[in-house]
Amino acid sequence: EKGGYAHFMLKEIHEQPDALANAIRGRLDFNLGTSVLSGMGTSPRELAEISRIVLVGCGTSLHAGLVGEYAFEDLANIPAEVQQAAEFRYRNPIVSRNDLVVAISQSGETADTLAAVREAIQKGAFVMSLCNVVGSTIARETSRGVYLHAGPEISVASTKAFTCQVAILLMMALKLGRGRRFSREEGMQLAKAIESIPDLVARTVRQSDHIAEIAARYAKNEHAFFIGRGPMYPVALEGALKLKEISYIHAEGYHAAELKHGPIALLEKDTPVVALACDIPGKDKTLGNVEECRARGARILGIITEGDHEAAAVMDDVIEIPRTHPLVATIPAAVALQLFAYHVANARGCEIDQPRNLAKSVTVE
Ligand code: M6R
């Protein structure tokens, strides 16, 4: 049932080109330069009334929401914020009728996310879900939603759900953007970039053996830092979460600018720093932060855009991802880090699909 793979996690990483193709299929309209997400069940007029977006979720789904926050603000010009679902549920959140609350949950059963949904419905928000499991509680309780169509995710470490969540959030942002400041031409360009996601991911997954060789060099470390800026900041958080949950290496994700405000004190000779340094706005600043880490003797693994010699020159190791739209690039970058975490954990002999202390879905608070 693992289809010849040693673990479900590796199988699910490799399934991503197909999972993403399923998540995207039939949902892009190249004529109008927009997306078709019928599950949102909204008329253009209703969409025009949305004045704020609140994304709620936990763990990896929360990280997808953080990428979505960038997408909604950047592409659709709509103020967006992310709240940890438990925080949303207990803080007595301010929600108004023109707010769109998007609950993100692979399983559709996470207790805190479900409670956040109920709270948002109580407060009269317009509530939508992004779930993978069809007919799950969150999917049922939200009258509108978009399914990921990623296929069953068995591994406790979430992989294909994350990339499909991000792809759908980008399509939602495209749709909302087209209703606002996006021209048809701009919409078509983004739609094309989204359409290319399965191919970008296939090219990244093909580097699995190369990533395994790199990972072997990091398997003996007990600490690691992940840094990124802009939409790559949530990818850094996700890379750190993946590594810690399956390899038990203490991993922290930081905004690259935040290093100097404390964490850099922990860098020693050979401390691994994984830098999300793809060629997107802010890259030069990230490369500057990499230099600061190098000066403390850190060992740098760069996730960079293919052919970027400038970035490669300051790294000890590199994983290259294809050049694409900056928000779309988050997806192959995340896949590279999934493979890195997997191969590090495998080299350490960890039980990858069932990490200690973790459950696939957290149905208690
Ligand atoms: O099913 P959900 O997306 O609601 O699950 C949320 C988190 O429990 C989940 O993403 C968790 O963080 C994963 N183990 C991460 O790999």
Side-chain angles (χ1 to χ4, degrees):
E1 55 184 8
K2 290 182 198 148
Y5 292 98
H7 298 95
F8 280 110
M9 182 182 180
L10 192 61
K11 173 174 180 261
E12 288 160 11
I13 290 172
H14 279 81
E15 280 171 354
Q16 287 178 109
D18 286 341
L20 284 155
N22 289 338
I24 295 166
R25 183 171 303 115
R27 288 173 165 172
L28 291 171
D29 178 338
F30 290 96
N31 232 342
L32 291 174
T34 188
S35 66
V36 189
L37 297 168
S38 48
M40 282 177 77
T42 38
S43 66
R45 190 177 178 104
E46 280 176 308
L47 287 182
E49 282 171 358
I50 295 170
S51 58
R52 175 173 166 254
I53 298 175
V54 182
L55 301 122
V56 297
C58 302
T60 288
S61 296
L62 182 73
H63 296 155
L66 286 164
V67 178
E69 178 182 352
Y70 282 92
F72 288 124
E73 297 209 335
D74 203 30
L75 305 175
N77 213 20
I78 302 175
E81 63 186 79
V82 178
Q83 292 191 28
Q84 210 283 342
E87 184 62 16
F88 180 89
R89 141 187 214 189
Y90 286 116
R91 76 185 311 188
N92 193 13
I94 299 171
V95 181
S96 61
R97 61 189 303 271
N98 290 338
D99 286 355
L100 170 65
V101 174
V102 183
I104 308 175
S105 175
Q106 188 285 131
S107 62
E109 303 295 345
T110 299
D112 282 323
T113 311
L114 175 60
V117 161
R118 290 178 177 158
E119 181 68 19
I121 291 173
Q122 274 303 313
K123 293 213 143 125
F126 181 44
V127 185
M128 258 190 60
S129 62
L130 246 63
C131 294
N132 191 38
V133 177
V134 176
S136 56
T137 312
I138 292 172
R140 279 188 280 111
E141 292 205 13
T142 47
S143 44
R144 308 164 195 249
V146 181
Y147 281 119
L148 306 183
H149 298 318
E153 192 182 67
I154 310 292
S155 168
V156 166
S158 183
T159 55
K160 59 181 180 171
F162 176 80
T163 50
C164 290
Q165 286 162 346
V166 173
I168 290 173
L169 288 164
L170 292 178
M171 290 190 284
M172 283 176 64
L174 168 60
K175 189 176 175 72
L176 286 159
R178 273 291 280 137
R180 291 163 199 246
R181 65 176 182 183
F182 244 53
S183 67
R184 179 170 169 272
E185 182 58 35
E186 287 170 314
M188 271 166 47
Q189 277 174 13
L190 181 61
K192 281 198 184 125
I194 293 171
E195 190 192 28
S196 75
I197 291 172
D199 176 55
L200 303 176
V201 169
R203 284 155 67 188
T204 309
V205 168
R206 280 202 285 273
Q207 299 182 67
S208 184
D209 291 347
H210 164 65
I211 296 173
E213 282 169 29
I214 294 174
R217 299 199 275 275
Y218 292 83
K220 291 213 161 60
N221 291 87
E222 290 307 323
H223 304 275
F225 293 87
F226 288 71
I227 59 170
R229 286 172 180 262
M232 291 295 171
Y233 167 50
V235 178
L237 298 179
E238 173 60 9
L241 176 61
K242 226 68 316 160
L243 187 66
K244 80 182 86 169
E245 73 176 329
I246 59 168
S247 77
Y248 313 134
I249 291 174
H250 166 226
E252 304 255 17
Y254 282 104
H255 191 284
E258 200 50 33
L259 277 183
K260 283 202 271 297
H261 300 280
I264 202 166
L266 293 168
L267 296 187
E268 298 176 340
K269 188 171 175 311
D270 290 333
T271 307
V273 174
V274 181
L276 278 300
C278 305
D279 194 8
I280 64 171
K283 177 192 96 171
D284 292 346
K285 300 276 178 211
T286 303
L287 294 185
N289 301 125
V290 165
E291 295 284 11
E292 291 156 7
C293 297
R294 285 176 72 84
R296 274 88 187 167
R299 182 179 182 98
I300 320 285
L301 166 59
I303 311 301
I304 67 171
T305 303
E306 61 191 2
D308 185 348
H309 302 298
E310 184 201 13
V314 298
M315 310 295 179
D316 293 293
D317 299 291
V318 292
I319 303 172
E320 295 190 333
I321 63 159
R323 182 175 295 280
T324 179
H325 184 285
L327 282 158
V328 171
T330 57
I331 293 178
V335 172
L337 297 187
Q338 293 166 358
L339 282 165
F340 177 70
Y342 173 82
H343 287 300
V344 169
N346 202 30
R348 287 164 72 91
C350 298
E351 177 38 75
I352 292 175
D353 286 330
Q354 288 293 333
R356 67 185 182 211
N357 307 338
L358 297 178
K360 180 62 183 160
S361 86
V362 182
T363 51
V364 291
E365 29 170 327

